[in-house]
Amino acid sequence: MNNSEQRTAPLYEALLEFRKRRVVPFDVPGHKRGRGNPELLDFLGEKCVGVDVNSMKMLDNLGHPVSVIRDAEELLADAFGASHAFMMVNGTTSAVQAMVLSVVREGDEILLPRNVHKSVINALVLCGGIPVYIPVRVDHKIGIATGMAIKDVEKAIREHPKAVAIFVNNPTYYGIASDLKGIVELAHGAGMKVLVDEAHGTHLYFGDNLPVSAMAAGGDLAAVSMHKSGGSLTQSSILLCGPSADAEYIRQIINLTQTTSASYLLMASLDLSRRNLALNGREAFDRVSQMAEYAREEINELGGYYAYGRELIDGESVFDFDVTKLSVFTQGIGLTGIEVYDLLRDEYDIQIEFGDIGNILAYISIGDRIQDIERLVGALEDIQRQYGRPKKELYCGEFIEPELVMTPKEAFYAEGEQLPLEETVGRISGEILMCYPPGIPILTPGERITEEIIAYIEYAREKGCSLQGTKDPDCRELRVLGQS
């Protein structure tokens, strides 16, 4: 990485120059630097609204960059150790879907863990790919899915030699990392591409004592949420390419679905965040790791809670652990994660990332302060004292692996009927149903519905999980297909 070059921010600098020129706008957007919408101008400020502009010669075009955006993408690639990088303004969802759509075609098999984000399944609905699920191990003590063990990956490759790719979470929402280097070696040896979801892994490129990044491990494509731990604006993301990727073809795939009116606010935030991480990222994420480890120690001293970390590493399904993820098992105080999540928000004005049946996740990154950590630990202690109940075994059915009967595309587009959930047992789902966050499907199109799945959905609803994905906004009905 050339630090002198990384000190520049070409797109941001072009926007500063544009602002100085006081160009008279007879193009879109129609608010005309905010003059047409005074409330918006007052809310966001002139500096922000004044650079909410359209593509033009001096500012380049994201769909076909030839100047400042191209330069900004080259700096991104350099900072992340990639052969090429794309700025993405439709979120990491669009980066994940571009990865899948660039490799998987109708009828192709792709190997993947069941605990992928819904964007992967939605990409298979679009392209007609066939998911082949590699078993995900489960840590029953804390109720989380872990990673893919190498021997399970080997078995899947052996049984599905025609699969075109393998999809890997690096890391999972909870911080679990599989043996990515080992998976890359196996997949490439079998002629398969490796697609890596690094929605929660921006910092892996700039931190020590963290799991290996996709590009360092030799992955072919990686979707990276810069806005999650990298400091850019929400909805901005990047797609990284390894040496084997055909970057111009991938740009064509991206342009199938990405907006032609790319936000310069989002792109400038990527440019500035890349510069910040390239120059200061190692120091910043070392501080993040220290804060997370401190919080882990403090929470574990409270008793009842379990803030887990590197002790989970077993060399197999937990090959490594991302210590910046402050994941806490809450059932030891008799409360589900979603109950603790709600209490933190409603009673203590603390918004954490998510709560599920057994755990909460507090996302710690470059903008956090030690006093905020102290406030979180104090709130958890107070919750335990005021709301804690005797420890009991709470139902945890999140890792049911449904039978896949049809491809996601076939099921999604098939004619079906709308039925109450309790009447769908034995039928095939035509929709996706999930708890959000984290957005991992409970059911995907093409999977058979069982009594166990219905019981888990209702339990999740009772505990306050946000169920999403179905045509019915209350997720009390499901579009289903025939018996087989």
Side-chain angles (χ1 to χ4, degrees), residues 6-38:
Q6 288 293 336
R7 293 182 187 281
T8 66
L11 181 55
Y12 161 71
E13 290 157 9
L15 282 166
L16 291 182
E17 180 60 31
F18 167 80
R19 180 184 280 156
K20 288 178 188 174
R21 291 176 61 172
R22 304 180 68 84
V23 174
V24 178
F26 282 102
D27 62 349
V28 297
H31 61 67
K32 304 298 173 98
R33 316 290 188 263
R35 291 191 299 273
N37 192 341

Side-chain angles (χ1 to χ4, degrees), residues 447-480:
E447 292 178 337
R448 194 180 299 283
I449 303 158
T450 64
E451 290 183 2
E452 192 181 16
I453 291 168
I454 299 299
Y456 178 70
I457 292 168
E458 293 305 337
Y459 184 82
R461 189 197 311 278
E462 177 193 335
K463 292 300 178 182
C465 290
S466 174
L467 296 172
Q468 299 182 15
T470 58
K471 180 180 177 182
D472 172 22
D474 296 323
C475 294
R476 294 188 182 278
E477 293 186 347
L478 196 65
R479 188 174 67 83
V480 294

Side-chain angles (χ1 to χ4, degrees), residues 265-382:
L265 295 172
L266 298 183
M267 289 188 287
S269 80
L270 285 170
D271 202 20
L272 286 171
S273 297
R274 180 270 315 154
R275 180 168 74 177
N276 181 42
L277 294 183
L279 300 179
N280 309 306
R282 293 203 169 271
E283 179 186 344
F285 287 119
D286 180 61
R287 188 171 63 252
V288 169
S289 295
Q290 289 179 36
M291 282 193 294
E293 291 285 40
Y294 169 72
R296 199 169 275 117
E297 291 170 12
E298 292 291 300
I299 291 168
N300 285 333
E301 283 184 10
L302 299 177
Y305 298 104
Y306 174 35
Y308 40 93
R310 293 183 63 83
E311 73 280 358
L312 296 184
I313 294 172
D314 61 10
E316 290 190 335
S317 63
V318 186
F319 187 79
D320 207 345
F321 187 84
D322 174 10
V323 296
T324 72
K325 299 291 187 295
L326 184 58
S327 305
V328 184
F329 180 67
T330 65
Q331 290 186 8
I333 66 165
L335 298 176
T336 63
I338 192 68
E339 288 171 326
V340 175
Y341 171 95
D342 286 341
L343 285 166
L344 283 168
R345 181 193 61 237
D346 297 340
E347 303 298 328
Y348 300 89
D349 291 330
I350 294 174
Q351 181 63 56
I352 57 172
E353 177 67 12
F354 80 88
D356 62 20
I357 299 300
N359 302 267
I360 57 171
L361 172 65
Y363 216 98
I364 300 176
S365 195
I366 56 178
D368 284 299
R369 305 170 300 173
I370 197 68
Q371 56 263 46
D372 298 325
I373 300 291
E374 299 282 7
R375 184 173 168 188
L376 173 63
V377 174
L380 290 174
E381 182 178 22
D382 202 50

